[in-house]
Amino acid sequence: MQRIPAKVGDRVDAIETPALVVDLDAFERNLDRMAEATRDIRLRPHAKAHKCVAIARAQLDRGAVGVCCQKTDEAAAFVEAGVRDVLVTNEVVDLPKLARLAELARAARIGVLVDALPCVAALSRAAVGAGARVDVYVEIDVGAHRCGVAPGAPAVDLARAICSAPALHFRGLHAYHGGAQHLREPAARREAIASAVVAARTTRGLIEEAGIACEIVTGAGTGTWALERDSRVYNELQPGSYVFMDVDYGRNATDPTDIRFEQSLYVLAAVMSVPAQGWAIVDAGLKAFSFDSGLPLVQGRDGATYAKASDEHGVLDVAADGAPMALGERVRLVPGHCDPTVNLYDWIVALRGERVEAVWPIEARGALG
């Protein structure tokens, strides 16, 4: 594990770098804005964004009904910490993972997705073997073209199979359009979600016509959650990145009426070399960020740009008219993609102003199974 990079009461310049830090004031405003905006609908935030029990508890304290996870081991970390309602928004196929999932259902309410008939039978055997009951959602493909059965009749067939399977409870539909989250223009996001809403509404109607209760239609992410909220079809929302934000979400154009979430997550780096005028080297490179969404941004340092990276070095271009950088100077860098960046760290340092208020373990870090 990474050594704990700070202790409560430390100033920012005492934090060992690179470190993952959260601006608590911005973070708490994000939590409160989402809680207020979803008072009349179920909020089940996606914990794959933060993997941190302290953050999940802050969301639950503000009214969330539970959390989402993406992997069985990720779910286990939250259940072991006392979270009692977890939806695994993924298909689980391997028998050892199914067995672990069923064991978790002995201690908490556990949901999981299916998109094929063989998955139903295998999940049922695991649940029976554990003496547990598992909630099951049919995942439908509403446009992301990743997992999911086709909307309509194929989803009805799966719902029937779940209802007939011992130890399983059909809970509803999972209708998440991941690709819509990063469509840049509001009109494109509205069009994508409008299509998803039609698919979800039609499929729910067919399931109910078959005499099967469809209690939940769940989905949505940080880029589109308000569209699903207002659809009158979705009754549960799964945004995750809203607590942190990142460079890529910052590229999305917004409407004037949109609720804005603030950047709260940073990688704190230190200047380790100033070899020449116009550039500086920080100690956060390829191993400190996920670069799938591009380079990080430099926060609060006019004229400084993160130009390139190697394994353990980041090169900053510093404008000629900008203030020169000093050895040891702390620099806040905005990750391109928050979720996989968090997964590189064992600790989140929570800052109130320039002081460390808390250090949170990332309990589900590296939970890939």
Side-chain angles (χ1 to χ4, degrees):
M1 290 182 67
Q2 173 195 15
R3 184 170 58 253
I4 299 175
K7 61 182 183 296
V8 173
D10 279 351
R11 292 189 60 82
V12 169
D13 58 9
I15 298 172
E16 291 195 33
T17 57
L20 197 66
V21 302
V22 162
D23 177 336
L24 279 173
D25 291 330
F27 167 78
E28 289 169 357
R29 286 192 292 267
N30 289 342
L31 289 174
D32 292 340
R33 284 176 187 140
M34 183 61 81
E36 176 63 22
T38 57
R39 283 186 303 170
D40 299 323
I41 193 168
R42 292 168 58 90
L43 177 64
R44 183 186 291 276
H46 216 306
K48 75 179 178 67
H50 56 72
K51 293 176 170 277
C52 173
V53 170
I55 295 177
R57 286 178 178 147
Q59 293 170 318
L60 293 168
D61 288 346
R62 287 167 170 81
V65 298
V67 300
C68 297
C69 291
Q70 202 69 359
K71 294 298 186 82
T72 302
D73 288 346
E74 201 172 67
F78 287 95
V79 172
E80 288 166 7
V83 177
R84 289 292 170 258
D85 194 329
V86 178
L87 170 59
V88 178
T89 54
N90 214 343
E91 281 69 24
V92 179
V93 176
D94 292 345
L95 295 182
K97 293 177 184 177
L98 288 171
R100 290 201 300 273
L101 192 72
E103 283 298 320
L104 292 177
R106 293 165 54 89
R109 184 164 199 168
I110 297 295
V112 67
L113 312 185
V114 299
D115 65 359
L117 285 170
C119 298
V120 176
L123 179 60
S124 175
R125 287 192 294 271
V128 169
R133 185 169 183 262
V134 177
D135 288 342
V136 187
Y137 299 69
V138 172
E139 181 172 17
I140 58 173
D141 180 2
V142 293
H145 306 313
R146 193 167 60 182
C147 296
V149 70
V156 179
D157 292 340
L158 272 176
R160 286 196 182 101
I162 294 163
C163 291
S164 299
L168 302 185
H169 169 60
F170 174 68
R171 192 85 189 276
L173 294 175
H174 184 265
Y176 173 61
H177 195 330
Q181 306 311 308
H182 298 281
L183 294 173
R184 298 307 178 203
E185 295 302 320
R189 296 195 295 275
R190 286 194 295 270
E191 181 180 355
I193 298 307
S195 177
V197 167
V198 169
R201 180 190 295 116
T202 300
T203 304
R204 182 189 64 187
L206 291 171
I207 289 171
E208 291 174 343
E209 287 175 11
I212 300 170
C214 186
E215 179 186 352
I216 301 291
V217 177
T218 185
T222 294
T224 67
W225 63 274
L227 300 172
E228 285 94 342
R229 178 197 62 183
D230 297 340
S231 69
R232 299 188 178 182
V233 172
Y234 289 77
N235 56 6
E236 184 177 275
L237 307 178
Q238 304 174 3
S241 299
Y242 75 94
V243 297
F244 292 147
M245 303 305 285
D246 55 30
V247 172
D248 201 67
Y249 268 117
R251 296 186 181 111
N252 282 4
T254 57
D255 282 329
T257 57
D258 287 345
I259 293 175
R260 307 291 182 90
F261 297 101
E262 303 173 50
Q263 185 64 44
S264 72
L265 181 77
Y266 304 92
V267 170
L268 186 72
V271 175
M272 58 190 290
S273 178
V274 187
Q277 185 176 358
W279 49 299
I281 313 301
V282 295
D283 58 358
L286 294 171
K287 294 180 181 178
F289 300 92
S290 171
F291 282 83
D292 63 297
S293 294
L295 297 171
L297 296 180
V298 181
Q299 176 82 6
R301 198 60 162 74
D302 292 341
T305 304
Y306 196 105
K308 62 180 181 178
S310 52
D311 282 0
E312 306 292 0
H313 300 79
V315 179
L316 306 187
D317 283 343
V318 182
D321 58 352
M325 289 192 160
L327 289 175
E329 179 180 340
R330 268 34 179 191
V331 181
R332 295 191 189 195
L333 302 170
V334 180
H337 189 178
C338 58
D339 298 23
T341 296
V342 168
N343 195 53
L344 298 171
Y345 292 84
D346 291 312
W347 308 95
I348 297 175
V349 180
L351 299 173
R352 185 82 65 187
E354 294 297 306
R355 293 280 185 183
V356 175
E357 185 168 301
V359 181
W360 299 328
I362 304 174
E363 289 90 347
R365 184 255 175 181
L368 302 179

